[in-house]
Amino acid sequence: MTERSDPSGEQPTPSRLDRGPLREEVRREIRRLHQLSNRGLWGLAIFILISLGAQRNFNFLPTFSEGARAVLGAAPPVKLISIALVVYSFSALVLILSRMMGGTETYRGWAHLGYLSGFYFFYYYAEALPDNFWAVFAAGATILSLEYYAIWSYCSEAIRTEKELLGKLED
Amino acid sequence: MRSIAAKAVVPVAVAVTGFVVVCCILLYSFIKGDMLNSAIQREVSLAGIIVKSTRYAMLHDDRESLRNIISNIGEQSEVEHSRIFNHSGLIVYSSDPEEVNQLVDKKNAGCVGCHEKEVPATNLGPMEQARRFANEKGHHVVAITAPIYNEPSCSTAECHFHPANLKVLGTLDIGLSAEPLRATLATLAWRMVVFCLMVLVLTVGGVCALLRRNILLPITNLVAYANAATRGNTDAPPPGGIDEIEMLGQSLQSLALRLEKKDRELEALRGRGGEPVPTRPTPPDTFAD
């Protein structure tokens, strides 16, 4: 970004020259916050892609051979997977809400993406994915939307503060 | 999205609705499974009753009675099909006369449970005896295949002879309509959707009402009071409602009173010195926005 010319034609004072790196740092911080805010959208987009595959019961993947099933062992009971999903959703929502209250800038969407894919996998392995797809999808959509909202509201707030600071530096 | 209402309502509404939806879907899935298992158990019992009822006719090789029993069962409104086939898979009796003397494909859904291995299985649990499918009429069916086992009285009967080493003599296949079950599940699904909507309305409505009563109205009153105080009107009492707003109002009031007092003192000082007193700049109405 180029330095603005002083309309008064006066030579800039040393203190004003010193603000250049500071302004650049603020701009960098704004860019970083924008990127951080977009992570939530990326997380949601990847989850939707995985869900599209799950809705088709992962029919594009090869089925488990008898040997693979023998190595992996029996699938856990579907009721246990469902109970685990309820417990996971509840604790994830409570943690996100408490993080939102604390106002931290951490994004845990990637970890949730892994857990939710795990639930899809377990239901798929137990041959109960078509019956339970919507439960995992609703849980994922809620958790990742809330994660996105948390990071987006934190970043919006921080970007506003940084822009105010930038405005003051450019005055 | 910067208002208190939006910031407070959106996360609560998303979290509560999402969790209720997940629980409802899983609950529906559990109830569906339980109802289906219960329907299968009932069908297995019904198949057992039919096999027992036909036992006497089978022992006496009374084919006419057997034909009538199977035909009458098939006439019941909820029975989609009923048939008995022998151990070779040949349909001997059926509620649909056109099926008689036809061979059943052992790779069909109802047969593969026992016949997937070289030596057919002779004992299956109730859930393994059941299969669900849509028949050629498009009706959803829950069908049971119940084996008819060889007994000493069968292998030693005079009328006809079954070798004693033959464990399964034939199979009863009965299919009941799954439409009543599907209708019940559809009603349950609608009730759950209505329940979810009610939870959403109550949660969002409740949070909004509490926010409006306890936060938004006191803040609006405080903004109005601050605007009035900025214009020099300090006669009105500060707004109440909640402790924090009340304290903020009192601080604003004491600030406005001190400013008013200082203004009066300044005016008096300048009046005594004969200098013109500068007027106070008009404050912008930024609070109202």
Side-chain angles (χ1 to χ4, degrees):
Chain A
M1 192 170 274
T2 54
E3 283 284 324
R4 276 192 210 163
S5 60
D6 198 334
S8 63
E10 290 172 15
Q11 286 296 313
T13 56
S15 63
R16 291 187 74 186
L17 277 174
D18 290 344
R19 287 178 179 180
L22 198 58
R23 276 202 298 264
E24 197 47 49
E25 198 180 319
V26 173
R27 285 195 194 104
R28 253 203 314 273
E29 180 64 9
I30 291 174
R31 276 198 297 275
R32 190 188 69 83
L33 287 166
H34 273 300
Q35 280 170 359
L36 186 65
S37 171
N38 285 343
R39 273 187 207 173
L41 273 183
W42 277 110
L44 264 173
I46 294 170
F47 176 68
I48 289 169
L49 274 179
I50 295 170
S51 300
L52 280 175
Q55 209 208 358
R56 295 168 65 186
N57 203 16
F58 296 116
N59 57 4
F60 49 89
L61 295 177
T63 50
F64 284 105
S65 63
E66 285 297 317
R69 279 195 181 270
V71 169
L72 289 169
V78 177
K79 280 195 177 176
L80 273 188
I81 306 173
S82 300
I83 289 168
L85 179 64
V86 171
V87 173
Y88 158 72
S89 308
F90 181 77
S91 25
L93 290 173
V94 169
L95 286 174
I96 295 168
L97 288 176
S98 57
R99 232 172 336 111
M100 213 185 271
M101 220 160 57
T104 54
E105 68 161 71
T106 43
Y107 176 69
R108 297 272 161 83
W110 307 127
H112 290 303
L113 215 54
Y115 298 139
L116 291 161
S117 306
F119 278 110
Y120 276 141
F121 170 77
F122 276 116
Y123 279 126
Y124 172 68
Y125 190 61
E127 293 173 358
L129 186 55
D131 283 343
N132 296 283
F133 165 78
W134 288 109
V136 185
F137 183 76
T142 308
I143 290 166
L144 291 172
S145 302
L146 216 55
E147 275 283 354
Y148 173 52
Y149 180 80
I151 198 75
W152 173 81
S153 62
Y154 172 83
C155 289
S156 306
E157 204 69 43
I159 287 170
R160 203 161 32 245
T161 314
E162 294 292 332
K163 278 186 175 166
E164 276 170 18
L165 183 64
L166 191 66
K168 279 177 190 162
L169 285 173
E170 283 178 346
D171 278 344
Chain B
M1 288 295 274
R2 284 178 68 181
S3 69
I4 295 174
K7 283 195 169 186
V9 170
V10 170
V12 174
V14 171
V16 171
T17 314
F19 189 67
V20 168
V21 168
V22 171
C23 288
C24 276
I25 293 173
L26 289 177
L27 190 64
Y28 175 79
S29 178
F30 282 174
I31 293 173
K32 186 180 167 185
D34 289 346
M35 284 175 80
L36 194 63
N37 287 354
S38 159
I40 289 169
Q41 292 285 1
R42 272 202 309 275
E43 275 196 49
V44 170
S45 304
L46 178 69
I49 291 168
I50 294 169
V51 171
K52 286 282 176 201
S53 329
T54 54
R55 187 172 177 273
Y56 186 79
M58 282 185 193
L59 274 176
H60 289 86
D61 196 21
D62 187 350
R63 288 170 187 259
E64 196 53 39
S65 294
L66 276 169
R67 197 170 292 115
N68 273 314
I69 290 169
I70 295 300
S71 171
N72 289 339
I73 289 168
E75 281 171 12
Q76 296 295 306
S77 60
E78 282 188 10
V79 177
E80 290 290 332
H81 69 257
S82 63
R83 56 176 85 105
I84 290 177
F85 42 87
N86 64 16
H87 68 278
S88 314
L90 185 75
I91 299 174
V92 189
Y93 309 101
S94 171
S95 54
D96 178 9
E98 288 179 13
E99 279 186 344
V100 177
N101 291 328
Q102 285 185 15
L103 268 175
V104 176
D105 186 358
K106 286 182 181 174
K107 285 176 183 156
N108 277 349
C111 311
V112 78
C114 293
H115 292 278
E116 64 179 341
K117 288 175 185 162
E118 214 165 291
V119 180
T122 51
N123 282 305
L124 285 178
M127 295 305 133
E128 289 148 341
Q129 290 177 28
R131 66 190 194 278
R132 289 166 66 202
F133 62 96
N135 64 12
E136 64 279 359
K137 293 175 199 159
H139 298 172
H140 290 268
V141 178
V142 179
I144 295 287
T145 42
I148 301 165
Y149 291 110
N150 198 358
E151 293 175 18
S153 48
C154 302
S155 55
T156 55
E158 284 173 8
C159 50
H160 62 293
F161 177 78
H162 292 295
N165 61 348
L166 195 63
K167 204 167 178 187
V168 177
L169 300 182
T171 306
L172 168 75
D173 178 17
I174 181 164
L176 296 187
S177 170
E179 296 304 333
L181 181 69
R182 284 166 60 84
T184 310
L185 286 171
T187 312
L188 182 71
W190 274 112
R191 284 177 185 161
M192 282 185 165
V193 169
V194 172
F195 169 72
C196 282
L197 287 175
M198 280 160 66
V199 168
L200 177 66
V201 169
L202 270 180
T203 312
V204 176
V207 171
C208 282
L210 285 174
L211 272 178
R212 186 175 156 71
R213 178 76 189 86
N214 295 323
I215 309 283
L216 295 179
L217 274 179
I219 285 181
T220 311
N221 292 340
L222 183 68
V223 168
Y225 178 76
N227 282 336
T230 315
R231 283 192 295 269
N233 179 12
T234 51
D235 298 337
I242 47 175
D243 290 349
E244 288 83 356
I245 299 280
E246 218 168 280
M247 279 164 64
L248 205 57
Q250 280 163 3
S251 302
L252 259 173
Q253 190 187 31
S254 61
L255 199 68
L257 287 172
R258 268 175 58 196
L259 192 66
E260 204 177 53
K261 194 181 159 194
K262 293 284 175 196
D263 271 353
R264 272 202 303 271
E265 284 173 9
L266 191 66
E267 202 175 340
L269 276 174
R270 287 191 174 156
R272 241 182 282 157
E275 287 174 24
V277 181
T279 50
R280 222 167 114 188
T282 316
D285 286 344
T286 47
F287 287 126
D289 304 326

